[in-house]
Structures are given as structure tokens and as C-alpha cells.
Amino acid sequence: MQRVNANTNDKRSYIMLISSLFIVGTIGIFRRYIPLSSALLAFFRGLIGSVSLLAFIKLRRTETWEGMGVKKFAGLIINGAFLGINWILLFEAFNYTTIAKATLCYYMQPTIVLMLSPLVFKEKLTAKKIVCALVALAGMIFVSGVVSMNVVQEEDLKGILFGLGAACFYAMVVILNKKITDVDAYQKTIIQLISAAVVLVPYLVITGQFKAIVFNGRLVLLLLIVGIIHTGVVYALYFGSMSGLKAQTISILSYIDPVVAMIVSALILGERMTLWEIIGAVLIIGSAIVSEQEPKKIRFSTKFRQ
């Protein structure tokens, strides 16, 4: 993701960013109604998303295909593979636990990057960062249900572990993206989306999952929504808002995503959160926001974990 250098906030950019985050927050709902394996859904999301984003930049006649070195190209392909695995784990998390829990587990990614920053970015792990990480971990414990005196169900535990696994892989995507510099954001994203789809092809062929697909109008429509709206349109809106917003504004607004996911899952699927889970959500999201409010800190684009 590209670094933001804007010094002012533009109303149009606000609308674009908030719209993209609201859309991303609803992806868990659509996943519940798509009768495909997580690997197949990840494949179609990468394929349709890359085509729709490429069509968008062609319509805008934006030239993004300047040459890049083999090393950067290889890095983007590897990152695309990480992105694909991340999607699979996230979609599996949605299958096993509530959308709210899966999303909050996924939002442990900033904490993972934060704890790895001394190793990969040679950043000093300050007292503030350590406290934020510990608060996020406490929030994760609350969300898991361990402290609510209830037995954590096996299905729920699987969903939590899948969500945390997705967070780990997206942390790798963020870290590697930070190291791949001087590449157009659209170009970088399209290569990674295509790679996310292509690397899954051998696995899907070997396991015979392509043969098991039974297409119908409803399935095609849902796949197009996830691929075009939740991926192509979302990235187009997100990148389009970059030049008109401050970095701090983007960092704060990014947490609209999990809030929307929790509200939508409660309204549409009737998934209710306990008091402990709500406290955990506040701790996880709050610690992530606080940890990013440091002027000299390298700003990671933690958005679009989905």
C-alpha cells in the first residue's frame, strides 16, 4: 500500500474511504451464502478482483505498467500467495465462528506487525507499543470466551484459530509490501490479486474442486459481488482516497470495518456479542488505534485485511 502524504482532508476522499470500509465490513455475510470451499472462493475473488481492478485503471487511462525488477516482481508473487492463504483462513474462520469473532481475531494483525517491527524494520519497541500489544492480547482473551465462564466450543475454537492464522499471514503481506517500494499501488495490487488466484490452481486441480462446482445464477451473482464490489471497487475507492486524506485520518477510519462487521452480523444473522466480547473488541481496536498515533512511527497500511 502506498504512503499517504496529504496534509488536508477532502470531503470526497472521506466518502470514498468510508464507503470502501463499509463494503469490506460486509464480506463475511456474503461468504456465509456462497456454497464453495474457502480455496475456491479465494480463487474467484483473486481472479475477478484483478480483472475488475485492471478494467478500472484502463477506463481511467491510468498508466501503471512501468517496468520493475525481477526481485520486486517475485516478491509481489510471493505476497500474492500469502494473500491467497490469508483469504482461505479468513473464509474458514467465518465458517466456524461468528463474523464478529472472526473479524476481531483478524484485527490482531497490527499487533503482530507491531511485535515484529524490531526484527524486520529495526524499530525500537517502546513502552507504549508493549502496553498496546498486551492490551490487544487481553482483548483477544476476552473475545475468545475464556473469561466468560463458558466452555469454548470446538467449532468456535477452530474459527478463532483460523482468524488468528489469517492475521499472521496478512502480517506477512503488510511487512513484505512495506519492503517493496517504488511500485505503483494499483500495479502492486493487481499482481498480488492475480498471484493469489494462480497459486491456488494446482491445489484446486489436484483435489478436483473445479469439477465439483455447480454454477447457477445465485452463485454467479454472489461471486461477482465479492470479486467486483468487495475487491475491485473497494481497492479503487481506497487508493482513490489516498491523496485527499491525512495518514492519521486513514488510520482511525480504518477501524470502521470491524465495527460494521459486528453490527451487520448482529442485524442480519442475529449473532449477539457478550459483554466480555464487547470489552475485548474495544481493547483490540482501541489498542491498534492508539499504537498508530505516533508521529515518527512507520505507518503501515493495515486496512484491507479482507
Side-chain angles (χ1 to χ4, degrees), residues 78-90 105-106 108-109 112-113 116 161-177 192 304-305:
I78 293 172
N79 228 17
F82 289 158
L83 184 64
I85 296 172
N86 150 69
W87 284 346
I88 292 173
L89 294 174
L90 179 61
C105 291
Y106 199 32
M108 288 298 291
Q109 175 265 316
I112 295 171
V113 174
L116 291 176
L161 292 176
F162 277 126
L164 291 174
C168 289
F169 271 94
Y170 200 78
M172 289 190 282
V173 171
V174 170
I175 289 170
L176 191 52
N177 258 338
Q192 289 178 124
F304 295 126
R305 299 168 186 83

PDB file of all heavy atoms in Angstrom, residues 78-90 105-106 108-109 112-113 116 161-177 192 304-305:
ATOM      1  N   ILE A  78       5.088 -13.772  -4.390  1.00  0.00           N
ATOM      2  CA  ILE A  78       5.111 -14.436  -3.083  1.00  0.00           C
ATOM      3  C   ILE A  78       4.056 -13.818  -2.170  1.00  0.00           C
ATOM      4  O   ILE A  78       3.329 -14.525  -1.453  1.00  0.00           O
ATOM      5  CB  ILE A  78       6.502 -14.321  -2.441  1.00  0.00           C
ATOM      6  CG1 ILE A  78       7.519 -15.126  -3.251  1.00  0.00           C
ATOM      7  CG2 ILE A  78       6.480 -14.802  -0.986  1.00  0.00           C
ATOM      8  CD1 ILE A  78       8.955 -14.923  -2.817  1.00  0.00           C
ATOM      9  N   ASN A  79       3.974 -12.497  -2.207  1.00  0.00           N
ATOM     10  CA  ASN A  79       2.987 -11.819  -1.379  1.00  0.00           C
ATOM     11  C   ASN A  79       1.568 -12.178  -1.798  1.00  0.00           C
ATOM     12  O   ASN A  79       0.666 -12.270  -0.964  1.00  0.00           O
ATOM     13  CB  ASN A  79       3.190 -10.302  -1.462  1.00  0.00           C
ATOM     14  CG  ASN A  79       3.202  -9.665  -0.093  1.00  0.00           C
ATOM     15  OD1 ASN A  79       3.366 -10.338   0.923  1.00  0.00           O
ATOM     16  ND2 ASN A  79       3.043  -8.362  -0.040  1.00  0.00           N
ATOM     17  N   GLY A  80       1.371 -12.379  -3.100  1.00  0.00           N
ATOM     18  CA  GLY A  80       0.069 -12.808  -3.591  1.00  0.00           C
ATOM     19  C   GLY A  80      -0.307 -14.179  -3.031  1.00  0.00           C
ATOM     20  O   GLY A  80      -1.465 -14.426  -2.684  1.00  0.00           O
ATOM     21  N   ALA A  81       0.688 -15.067  -2.942  1.00  0.00           N
ATOM     22  CA  ALA A  81       0.450 -16.390  -2.359  1.00  0.00           C
ATOM     23  C   ALA A  81       0.037 -16.257  -0.890  1.00  0.00           C
ATOM     24  O   ALA A  81      -0.905 -16.917  -0.429  1.00  0.00           O
ATOM     25  CB  ALA A  81       1.703 -17.247  -2.490  1.00  0.00           C
ATOM     26  N   PHE A  82       0.744 -15.388  -0.157  1.00  0.00           N
ATOM     27  CA  PHE A  82       0.386 -15.138   1.246  1.00  0.00           C
ATOM     28  C   PHE A  82      -1.039 -14.584   1.349  1.00  0.00           C
ATOM     29  O   PHE A  82      -1.791 -14.952   2.248  1.00  0.00           O
ATOM     30  CB  PHE A  82       1.356 -14.142   1.880  1.00  0.00           C
ATOM     31  CG  PHE A  82       2.733 -14.685   2.119  1.00  0.00           C
ATOM     32  CD1 PHE A  82       3.820 -13.838   2.248  1.00  0.00           C
ATOM     33  CD2 PHE A  82       2.950 -16.043   2.218  1.00  0.00           C
ATOM     34  CE1 PHE A  82       5.093 -14.331   2.482  1.00  0.00           C
ATOM     35  CE2 PHE A  82       4.222 -16.566   2.438  1.00  0.00           C
ATOM     36  CZ  PHE A  82       5.302 -15.700   2.564  1.00  0.00           C
ATOM     37  N   LEU A  83      -1.387 -13.699   0.422  1.00  0.00           N
ATOM     38  CA  LEU A  83      -2.717 -13.093   0.419  1.00  0.00           C
ATOM     39  C   LEU A  83      -3.793 -14.150   0.187  1.00  0.00           C
ATOM     40  O   LEU A  83      -4.842 -14.145   0.845  1.00  0.00           O
ATOM     41  CB  LEU A  83      -2.800 -12.015  -0.661  1.00  0.00           C
ATOM     42  CG  LEU A  83      -4.096 -11.202  -0.735  1.00  0.00           C
ATOM     43  CD1 LEU A  83      -4.293 -10.387   0.539  1.00  0.00           C
ATOM     44  CD2 LEU A  83      -4.069 -10.272  -1.951  1.00  0.00           C
ATOM     45  N   GLY A  84      -3.532 -15.063  -0.737  1.00  0.00           N
ATOM     46  CA  GLY A  84      -4.481 -16.137  -1.022  1.00  0.00           C
ATOM     47  C   GLY A  84      -4.703 -17.030   0.186  1.00  0.00           C
ATOM     48  O   GLY A  84      -5.837 -17.389   0.517  1.00  0.00           O
ATOM     49  N   ILE A  85      -3.606 -17.412   0.851  1.00  0.00           N
ATOM     50  CA  ILE A  85      -3.717 -18.247   2.055  1.00  0.00           C
ATOM     51  C   ILE A  85      -4.463 -17.491   3.153  1.00  0.00           C
ATOM     52  O   ILE A  85      -5.291 -18.060   3.871  1.00  0.00           O
ATOM     53  CB  ILE A  85      -2.317 -18.659   2.548  1.00  0.00           C
ATOM     54  CG1 ILE A  85      -1.632 -19.535   1.491  1.00  0.00           C
ATOM     55  CG2 ILE A  85      -2.409 -19.418   3.872  1.00  0.00           C
ATOM     56  CD1 ILE A  85      -0.168 -19.825   1.792  1.00  0.00           C
ATOM     57  N   ASN A  86      -4.178 -16.211   3.256  1.00  0.00           N
ATOM     58  CA  ASN A  86      -4.859 -15.363   4.233  1.00  0.00           C
ATOM     59  C   ASN A  86      -6.372 -15.368   4.003  1.00  0.00           C
ATOM     60  O   ASN A  86      -7.157 -15.505   4.945  1.00  0.00           O
ATOM     61  CB  ASN A  86      -4.286 -13.944   4.119  1.00  0.00           C
ATOM     62  CG  ASN A  86      -5.275 -12.856   4.469  1.00  0.00           C
ATOM     63  OD1 ASN A  86      -5.675 -12.695   5.610  1.00  0.00           O
ATOM     64  ND2 ASN A  86      -5.673 -12.090   3.472  1.00  0.00           N
ATOM     65  N   TRP A  87      -6.786 -15.250   2.754  1.00  0.00           N
ATOM     66  CA  TRP A  87      -8.216 -15.271   2.437  1.00  0.00           C
ATOM     67  C   TRP A  87      -8.851 -16.611   2.813  1.00  0.00           C
ATOM     68  O   TRP A  87      -9.944 -16.660   3.373  1.00  0.00           O
ATOM     69  CB  TRP A  87      -8.431 -15.031   0.947  1.00  0.00           C
ATOM     70  CG  TRP A  87      -8.266 -13.602   0.529  1.00  0.00           C
ATOM     71  CD1 TRP A  87      -8.214 -12.500   1.344  1.00  0.00           C
ATOM     72  CD2 TRP A  87      -8.136 -13.126  -0.810  1.00  0.00           C
ATOM     73  NE1 TRP A  87      -8.055 -11.361   0.588  1.00  0.00           N
ATOM     74  CE2 TRP A  87      -8.009 -11.709  -0.737  1.00  0.00           C
ATOM     75  CE3 TRP A  87      -8.111 -13.729  -2.053  1.00  0.00           C
ATOM     76  CZ2 TRP A  87      -7.859 -10.910  -1.858  1.00  0.00           C
ATOM     77  CZ3 TRP A  87      -7.967 -12.936  -3.189  1.00  0.00           C
ATOM     78  CH2 TRP A  87      -7.839 -11.543  -3.079  1.00  0.00           C
ATOM     79  N   ILE A  88      -8.161 -17.701   2.476  1.00  0.00           N
ATOM     80  CA  ILE A  88      -8.688 -19.030   2.787  1.00  0.00           C
ATOM     81  C   ILE A  88      -8.935 -19.175   4.283  1.00  0.00           C
ATOM     82  O   ILE A  88     -10.002 -19.629   4.724  1.00  0.00           O
ATOM     83  CB  ILE A  88      -7.721 -20.132   2.304  1.00  0.00           C
ATOM     84  CG1 ILE A  88      -7.670 -20.164   0.777  1.00  0.00           C
ATOM     85  CG2 ILE A  88      -8.154 -21.499   2.834  1.00  0.00           C
ATOM     86  CD1 ILE A  88      -6.622 -21.102   0.217  1.00  0.00           C
ATOM     87  N   LEU A  89      -7.949 -18.777   5.082  1.00  0.00           N
ATOM     88  CA  LEU A  89      -8.074 -18.896   6.537  1.00  0.00           C
ATOM     89  C   LEU A  89      -9.192 -18.007   7.070  1.00  0.00           C
ATOM     90  O   LEU A  89      -9.946 -18.404   7.967  1.00  0.00           O
ATOM     91  CB  LEU A  89      -6.746 -18.534   7.204  1.00  0.00           C
ATOM     92  CG  LEU A  89      -5.584 -19.498   6.918  1.00  0.00           C
ATOM     93  CD1 LEU A  89      -4.284 -18.950   7.503  1.00  0.00           C
ATOM     94  CD2 LEU A  89      -5.881 -20.882   7.480  1.00  0.00           C
ATOM     95  N   LEU A  90      -9.318 -16.799   6.521  1.00  0.00           N
ATOM     96  CA  LEU A  90     -10.375 -15.897   6.967  1.00  0.00           C
ATOM     97  C   LEU A  90     -11.752 -16.454   6.612  1.00  0.00           C
ATOM     98  O   LEU A  90     -12.671 -16.438   7.440  1.00  0.00           O
ATOM     99  CB  LEU A  90     -10.202 -14.520   6.331  1.00  0.00           C
ATOM    100  CG  LEU A  90     -11.271 -13.484   6.699  1.00  0.00           C
ATOM    101  CD1 LEU A  90     -11.277 -13.209   8.194  1.00  0.00           C
ATOM    102  CD2 LEU A  90     -11.068 -12.189   5.917  1.00  0.00           C
ATOM    103  N   CYS A 105     -10.442 -11.402  15.599  1.00  0.00           N
ATOM    104  CA  CYS A 105      -9.205 -12.205  15.587  1.00  0.00           C
ATOM    105  C   CYS A 105      -8.290 -11.722  14.465  1.00  0.00           C
ATOM    106  O   CYS A 105      -7.077 -11.618  14.622  1.00  0.00           O
ATOM    107  CB  CYS A 105      -9.526 -13.681  15.401  1.00  0.00           C
ATOM    108  SG  CYS A 105     -10.337 -14.451  16.806  1.00  0.00           S
ATOM    109  N   TYR A 106      -8.907 -11.436  13.318  1.00  0.00           N
ATOM    110  CA  TYR A 106      -8.173 -10.945  12.157  1.00  0.00           C
ATOM    111  C   TYR A 106      -7.499  -9.610  12.454  1.00  0.00           C
ATOM    112  O   TYR A 106      -6.426  -9.308  11.949  1.00  0.00           O
ATOM    113  CB  TYR A 106      -9.173 -10.798  11.010  1.00  0.00           C
ATOM    114  CG  TYR A 106      -8.574 -10.740   9.632  1.00  0.00           C
ATOM    115  CD1 TYR A 106      -7.414 -11.413   9.315  1.00  0.00           C
ATOM    116  CD2 TYR A 106      -9.214 -10.019   8.617  1.00  0.00           C
ATOM    117  CE1 TYR A 106      -6.893 -11.379   8.037  1.00  0.00           C
ATOM    118  CE2 TYR A 106      -8.700  -9.978   7.336  1.00  0.00           C
ATOM    119  CZ  TYR A 106      -7.542 -10.661   7.051  1.00  0.00           C
ATOM    120  OH  TYR A 106      -7.024 -10.614   5.787  1.00  0.00           O
ATOM    121  N   MET A 108      -5.986  -8.725  14.931  1.00  0.00           N
ATOM    122  CA  MET A 108      -4.762  -8.854  15.724  1.00  0.00           C
ATOM    123  C   MET A 108      -3.538  -8.617  14.851  1.00  0.00           C
ATOM    124  O   MET A 108      -2.425  -8.530  15.337  1.00  0.00           O
ATOM    125  CB  MET A 108      -4.689 -10.241  16.368  1.00  0.00           C
ATOM    126  CG  MET A 108      -5.665 -10.450  17.500  1.00  0.00           C
ATOM    127  SD  MET A 108      -5.387  -9.328  18.895  1.00  0.00           S
ATOM    128  CE  MET A 108      -3.821  -9.960  19.513  1.00  0.00           C
ATOM    129  N   GLN A 109      -3.756  -8.518  13.525  1.00  0.00           N
ATOM    130  CA  GLN A 109      -2.645  -8.311  12.594  1.00  0.00           C
ATOM    131  C   GLN A 109      -1.775  -7.097  12.921  1.00  0.00           C
ATOM    132  O   GLN A 109      -0.533  -7.199  12.897  1.00  0.00           O
ATOM    133  CB  GLN A 109      -3.188  -8.220  11.167  1.00  0.00           C
ATOM    134  CG  GLN A 109      -2.154  -7.883  10.115  1.00  0.00           C
ATOM    135  CD  GLN A 109      -2.119  -6.398   9.818  1.00  0.00           C
ATOM    136  OE1 GLN A 109      -3.167  -5.767   9.681  1.00  0.00           O
ATOM    137  NE2 GLN A 109      -0.948  -5.820   9.701  1.00  0.00           N
ATOM    138  N   ILE A 112       0.574  -8.045  15.625  1.00  0.00           N
ATOM    139  CA  ILE A 112       1.627  -8.956  15.163  1.00  0.00           C
ATOM    140  C   ILE A 112       2.735  -8.183  14.463  1.00  0.00           C
ATOM    141  O   ILE A 112       3.925  -8.396  14.714  1.00  0.00           O
ATOM    142  CB  ILE A 112       1.034 -10.029  14.221  1.00  0.00           C
ATOM    143  CG1 ILE A 112       0.050 -10.918  14.989  1.00  0.00           C
ATOM    144  CG2 ILE A 112       2.143 -10.889  13.605  1.00  0.00           C
ATOM    145  CD1 ILE A 112      -0.750 -11.852  14.106  1.00  0.00           C
ATOM    146  N   VAL A 113       2.342  -7.250  13.573  1.00  0.00           N
ATOM    147  CA  VAL A 113       3.332  -6.424  12.881  1.00  0.00           C
ATOM    148  C   VAL A 113       4.099  -5.572  13.883  1.00  0.00           C
ATOM    149  O   VAL A 113       5.320  -5.411  13.780  1.00  0.00           O
ATOM    150  CB  VAL A 113       2.650  -5.521  11.826  1.00  0.00           C
ATOM    151  CG1 VAL A 113       3.661  -4.557  11.208  1.00  0.00           C
ATOM    152  CG2 VAL A 113       2.007  -6.365  10.741  1.00  0.00           C
ATOM    153  N   LEU A 116       6.715  -7.569  15.610  1.00  0.00           N
ATOM    154  CA  LEU A 116       7.795  -7.996  14.712  1.00  0.00           C
ATOM    155  C   LEU A 116       8.631  -6.824  14.200  1.00  0.00           C
ATOM    156  O   LEU A 116       9.712  -7.038  13.630  1.00  0.00           O
ATOM    157  CB  LEU A 116       7.222  -8.755  13.511  1.00  0.00           C
ATOM    158  CG  LEU A 116       6.614 -10.127  13.786  1.00  0.00           C
ATOM    159  CD1 LEU A 116       5.998 -10.691  12.510  1.00  0.00           C
ATOM    160  CD2 LEU A 116       7.666 -11.087  14.336  1.00  0.00           C
ATOM    161  N   LEU A 161      -8.876 -19.831  15.805  1.00  0.00           N
ATOM    162  CA  LEU A 161      -7.525 -20.178  15.332  1.00  0.00           C
ATOM    163  C   LEU A 161      -7.358 -19.848  13.852  1.00  0.00           C
ATOM    164  O   LEU A 161      -6.294 -19.363  13.429  1.00  0.00           O
ATOM    165  CB  LEU A 161      -7.252 -21.661  15.583  1.00  0.00           C
ATOM    166  CG  LEU A 161      -7.138 -22.071  17.056  1.00  0.00           C
ATOM    167  CD1 LEU A 161      -6.956 -23.581  17.185  1.00  0.00           C
ATOM    168  CD2 LEU A 161      -5.979 -21.348  17.732  1.00  0.00           C
ATOM    169  N   PHE A 162      -8.393 -20.091  13.056  1.00  0.00           N
ATOM    170  CA  PHE A 162      -8.328 -19.721  11.638  1.00  0.00           C
ATOM    171  C   PHE A 162      -8.193 -18.202  11.497  1.00  0.00           C
ATOM    172  O   PHE A 162      -7.438 -17.705  10.657  1.00  0.00           O
ATOM    173  CB  PHE A 162      -9.575 -20.205  10.892  1.00  0.00           C
ATOM    174  CG  PHE A 162      -9.518 -21.637  10.443  1.00  0.00           C
ATOM    175  CD1 PHE A 162     -10.517 -22.534  10.782  1.00  0.00           C
ATOM    176  CD2 PHE A 162      -8.466 -22.088   9.659  1.00  0.00           C
ATOM    177  CE1 PHE A 162     -10.471 -23.857  10.366  1.00  0.00           C
ATOM    178  CE2 PHE A 162      -8.395 -23.408   9.233  1.00  0.00           C
ATOM    179  CZ  PHE A 162      -9.412 -24.296   9.592  1.00  0.00           C
ATOM    180  N   GLY A 163      -8.935 -17.452  12.305  1.00  0.00           N
ATOM    181  CA  GLY A 163      -8.846 -15.998  12.255  1.00  0.00           C
ATOM    182  C   GLY A 163      -7.469 -15.489  12.618  1.00  0.00           C
ATOM    183  O   GLY A 163      -6.929 -14.581  11.973  1.00  0.00           O
ATOM    184  N   LEU A 164      -6.877 -16.073  13.651  1.00  0.00           N
ATOM    185  CA  LEU A 164      -5.523 -15.683  14.058  1.00  0.00           C
ATOM    186  C   LEU A 164      -4.499 -16.088  12.998  1.00  0.00           C
ATOM    187  O   LEU A 164      -3.528 -15.371  12.756  1.00  0.00           O
ATOM    188  CB  LEU A 164      -5.170 -16.317  15.411  1.00  0.00           C
ATOM    189  CG  LEU A 164      -5.954 -15.772  16.617  1.00  0.00           C
ATOM    190  CD1 LEU A 164      -5.622 -16.583  17.869  1.00  0.00           C
ATOM    191  CD2 LEU A 164      -5.632 -14.297  16.841  1.00  0.00           C
ATOM    192  N   GLY A 165      -4.728 -17.249  12.368  1.00  0.00           N
ATOM    193  CA  GLY A 165      -3.844 -17.673  11.280  1.00  0.00           C
ATOM    194  C   GLY A 165      -3.901 -16.702  10.119  1.00  0.00           C
ATOM    195  O   GLY A 165      -2.872 -16.351   9.522  1.00  0.00           O
ATOM    196  N   ALA A 166      -5.119 -16.243   9.793  1.00  0.00           N
ATOM    197  CA  ALA A 166      -5.282 -15.250   8.728  1.00  0.00           C
ATOM    198  C   ALA A 166      -4.552 -13.961   9.085  1.00  0.00           C
ATOM    199  O   ALA A 166      -3.920 -13.332   8.235  1.00  0.00           O
ATOM    200  CB  ALA A 166      -6.770 -14.970   8.502  1.00  0.00           C
ATOM    201  N   ALA A 167      -4.619 -13.571  10.364  1.00  0.00           N
ATOM    202  CA  ALA A 167      -3.932 -12.358  10.819  1.00  0.00           C
ATOM    203  C   ALA A 167      -2.422 -12.489  10.648  1.00  0.00           C
ATOM    204  O   ALA A 167      -1.742 -11.538  10.245  1.00  0.00           O
ATOM    205  CB  ALA A 167      -4.270 -12.084  12.284  1.00  0.00           C
ATOM    206  N   CYS A 168      -1.890 -13.670  10.930  1.00  0.00           N
ATOM    207  CA  CYS A 168      -0.440 -13.898  10.785  1.00  0.00           C
ATOM    208  C   CYS A 168      -0.018 -13.773   9.324  1.00  0.00           C
ATOM    209  O   CYS A 168       1.005 -13.149   9.018  1.00  0.00           O
ATOM    210  CB  CYS A 168      -0.072 -15.286  11.313  1.00  0.00           C
ATOM    211  SG  CYS A 168      -0.179 -15.451  13.108  1.00  0.00           S
ATOM    212  N   PHE A 169      -0.794 -14.366   8.419  1.00  0.00           N
ATOM    213  CA  PHE A 169      -0.427 -14.299   7.000  1.00  0.00           C
ATOM    214  C   PHE A 169      -0.586 -12.887   6.463  1.00  0.00           C
ATOM    215  O   PHE A 169       0.205 -12.451   5.628  1.00  0.00           O
ATOM    216  CB  PHE A 169      -1.251 -15.291   6.180  1.00  0.00           C
ATOM    217  CG  PHE A 169      -0.610 -16.650   6.093  1.00  0.00           C
ATOM    218  CD1 PHE A 169      -0.953 -17.647   6.994  1.00  0.00           C
ATOM    219  CD2 PHE A 169       0.352 -16.917   5.134  1.00  0.00           C
ATOM    220  CE1 PHE A 169      -0.345 -18.897   6.936  1.00  0.00           C
ATOM    221  CE2 PHE A 169       0.974 -18.159   5.067  1.00  0.00           C
ATOM    222  CZ  PHE A 169       0.621 -19.154   5.970  1.00  0.00           C
ATOM    223  N   TYR A 170      -1.613 -12.157   6.949  1.00  0.00           N
ATOM    224  CA  TYR A 170      -1.724 -10.791   6.458  1.00  0.00           C
ATOM    225  C   TYR A 170      -0.628  -9.910   7.026  1.00  0.00           C
ATOM    226  O   TYR A 170      -0.208  -8.945   6.381  1.00  0.00           O
ATOM    227  CB  TYR A 170      -3.096 -10.178   6.750  1.00  0.00           C
ATOM    228  CG  TYR A 170      -3.342  -9.005   5.829  1.00  0.00           C
ATOM    229  CD1 TYR A 170      -3.728  -9.221   4.513  1.00  0.00           C
ATOM    230  CD2 TYR A 170      -3.092  -7.702   6.238  1.00  0.00           C
ATOM    231  CE1 TYR A 170      -3.891  -8.160   3.638  1.00  0.00           C
ATOM    232  CE2 TYR A 170      -3.253  -6.637   5.363  1.00  0.00           C
ATOM    233  CZ  TYR A 170      -3.653  -6.871   4.074  1.00  0.00           C
ATOM    234  OH  TYR A 170      -3.788  -5.820   3.205  1.00  0.00           O
ATOM    235  N   ALA A 171      -0.143 -10.237   8.219  1.00  0.00           N
ATOM    236  CA  ALA A 171       1.001  -9.507   8.770  1.00  0.00           C
ATOM    237  C   ALA A 171       2.205  -9.659   7.838  1.00  0.00           C
ATOM    238  O   ALA A 171       2.950  -8.703   7.595  1.00  0.00           O
ATOM    239  CB  ALA A 171       1.335 -10.029  10.165  1.00  0.00           C
ATOM    240  N   MET A 172       2.373 -10.868   7.276  1.00  0.00           N
ATOM    241  CA  MET A 172       3.473 -11.087   6.330  1.00  0.00           C
ATOM    242  C   MET A 172       3.260 -10.279   5.054  1.00  0.00           C
ATOM    243  O   MET A 172       4.207  -9.753   4.470  1.00  0.00           O
ATOM    244  CB  MET A 172       3.599 -12.582   6.011  1.00  0.00           C
ATOM    245  CG  MET A 172       4.138 -13.405   7.167  1.00  0.00           C
ATOM    246  SD  MET A 172       4.566 -15.104   6.701  1.00  0.00           S
ATOM    247  CE  MET A 172       2.942 -15.855   6.670  1.00  0.00           C
ATOM    248  N   VAL A 173       1.997 -10.171   4.612  1.00  0.00           N
ATOM    249  CA  VAL A 173       1.682  -9.370   3.422  1.00  0.00           C
ATOM    250  C   VAL A 173       2.051  -7.909   3.661  1.00  0.00           C
ATOM    251  O   VAL A 173       2.680  -7.257   2.818  1.00  0.00           O
ATOM    252  CB  VAL A 173       0.180  -9.483   3.067  1.00  0.00           C
ATOM    253  CG1 VAL A 173      -0.191  -8.476   1.969  1.00  0.00           C
ATOM    254  CG2 VAL A 173      -0.152 -10.893   2.613  1.00  0.00           C
ATOM    255  N   VAL A 174       1.673  -7.372   4.827  1.00  0.00           N
ATOM    256  CA  VAL A 174       1.961  -5.976   5.167  1.00  0.00           C
ATOM    257  C   VAL A 174       3.462  -5.728   5.225  1.00  0.00           C
ATOM    258  O   VAL A 174       3.972  -4.743   4.692  1.00  0.00           O
ATOM    259  CB  VAL A 174       1.301  -5.600   6.513  1.00  0.00           C
ATOM    260  CG1 VAL A 174       1.782  -4.233   6.993  1.00  0.00           C
ATOM    261  CG2 VAL A 174      -0.215  -5.587   6.373  1.00  0.00           C
ATOM    262  N   ILE A 175       4.180  -6.638   5.878  1.00  0.00           N
ATOM    263  CA  ILE A 175       5.628  -6.480   6.039  1.00  0.00           C
ATOM    264  C   ILE A 175       6.336  -6.509   4.691  1.00  0.00           C
ATOM    265  O   ILE A 175       7.190  -5.665   4.399  1.00  0.00           O
ATOM    266  CB  ILE A 175       6.179  -7.583   6.965  1.00  0.00           C
ATOM    267  CG1 ILE A 175       5.712  -7.328   8.401  1.00  0.00           C
ATOM    268  CG2 ILE A 175       7.710  -7.639   6.897  1.00  0.00           C
ATOM    269  CD1 ILE A 175       5.986  -8.467   9.356  1.00  0.00           C
ATOM    270  N   LEU A 176       5.978  -7.495   3.851  1.00  0.00           N
ATOM    271  CA  LEU A 176       6.632  -7.609   2.549  1.00  0.00           C
ATOM    272  C   LEU A 176       6.267  -6.435   1.649  1.00  0.00           C
ATOM    273  O   LEU A 176       7.103  -5.916   0.900  1.00  0.00           O
ATOM    274  CB  LEU A 176       6.256  -8.930   1.880  1.00  0.00           C
ATOM    275  CG  LEU A 176       7.053  -9.321   0.624  1.00  0.00           C
ATOM    276  CD1 LEU A 176       8.558  -9.253   0.894  1.00  0.00           C
ATOM    277  CD2 LEU A 176       6.666 -10.724   0.164  1.00  0.00           C
ATOM    278  N   ASN A 177       5.014  -5.985   1.718  1.00  0.00           N
ATOM    279  CA  ASN A 177       4.599  -4.823   0.927  1.00  0.00           C
ATOM    280  C   ASN A 177       5.397  -3.584   1.316  1.00  0.00           C
ATOM    281  O   ASN A 177       5.711  -2.746   0.472  1.00  0.00           O
ATOM    282  CB  ASN A 177       3.099  -4.548   1.126  1.00  0.00           C
ATOM    283  CG  ASN A 177       2.264  -5.053  -0.037  1.00  0.00           C
ATOM    284  OD1 ASN A 177       2.761  -5.242  -1.140  1.00  0.00           O
ATOM    285  ND2 ASN A 177       0.995  -5.282   0.204  1.00  0.00           N
ATOM    286  N   GLN A 192      -0.634  -8.946  -7.157  1.00  0.00           N
ATOM    287  CA  GLN A 192      -0.865  -9.786  -5.985  1.00  0.00           C
ATOM    288  C   GLN A 192      -2.208 -10.512  -6.062  1.00  0.00           C
ATOM    289  O   GLN A 192      -2.318 -11.678  -5.668  1.00  0.00           O
ATOM    290  CB  GLN A 192      -0.787  -8.933  -4.714  1.00  0.00           C
ATOM    291  CG  GLN A 192       0.634  -8.488  -4.416  1.00  0.00           C
ATOM    292  CD  GLN A 192       0.732  -7.598  -3.191  1.00  0.00           C
ATOM    293  OE1 GLN A 192       1.457  -7.877  -2.256  1.00  0.00           O
ATOM    294  NE2 GLN A 192      -0.011  -6.503  -3.178  1.00  0.00           N
ATOM    295  N   PHE A 304      -7.728  -3.316   4.575  1.00  0.00           N
ATOM    296  CA  PHE A 304      -7.951  -4.338   3.582  1.00  0.00           C
ATOM    297  C   PHE A 304      -7.290  -5.624   3.952  1.00  0.00           C
ATOM    298  O   PHE A 304      -6.676  -6.289   3.166  1.00  0.00           O
ATOM    299  CB  PHE A 304      -7.572  -3.863   2.169  1.00  0.00           C
ATOM    300  CG  PHE A 304      -8.473  -2.778   1.781  1.00  0.00           C
ATOM    301  CD1 PHE A 304      -8.008  -1.577   1.361  1.00  0.00           C
ATOM    302  CD2 PHE A 304      -9.827  -2.944   1.921  1.00  0.00           C
ATOM    303  CE1 PHE A 304      -8.863  -0.546   1.056  1.00  0.00           C
ATOM    304  CE2 PHE A 304     -10.696  -1.920   1.626  1.00  0.00           C
ATOM    305  CZ  PHE A 304     -10.204  -0.720   1.181  1.00  0.00           C
ATOM    306  N   ARG A 305      -7.469  -5.968   5.242  1.00  0.00           N
ATOM    307  CA  ARG A 305      -7.107  -7.312   5.664  1.00  0.00           C
ATOM    308  C   ARG A 305      -8.037  -8.280   4.962  1.00  0.00           C
ATOM    309  O   ARG A 305      -7.783  -9.448   4.916  1.00  0.00           O
ATOM    310  CB  ARG A 305      -7.266  -7.410   7.180  1.00  0.00           C
ATOM    311  CG  ARG A 305      -6.372  -6.442   7.920  1.00  0.00           C
ATOM    312  CD  ARG A 305      -6.760  -6.350   9.371  1.00  0.00           C
ATOM    313  NE  ARG A 305      -5.982  -5.332  10.016  1.00  0.00           N
ATOM    314  CZ  ARG A 305      -6.273  -4.053   9.984  1.00  0.00           C
ATOM    315  NH1 ARG A 305      -7.338  -3.643   9.337  1.00  0.00           N
ATOM    316  NH2 ARG A 305      -5.524  -3.171  10.584  1.00  0.00           N
TER     317      ARG A 305
END
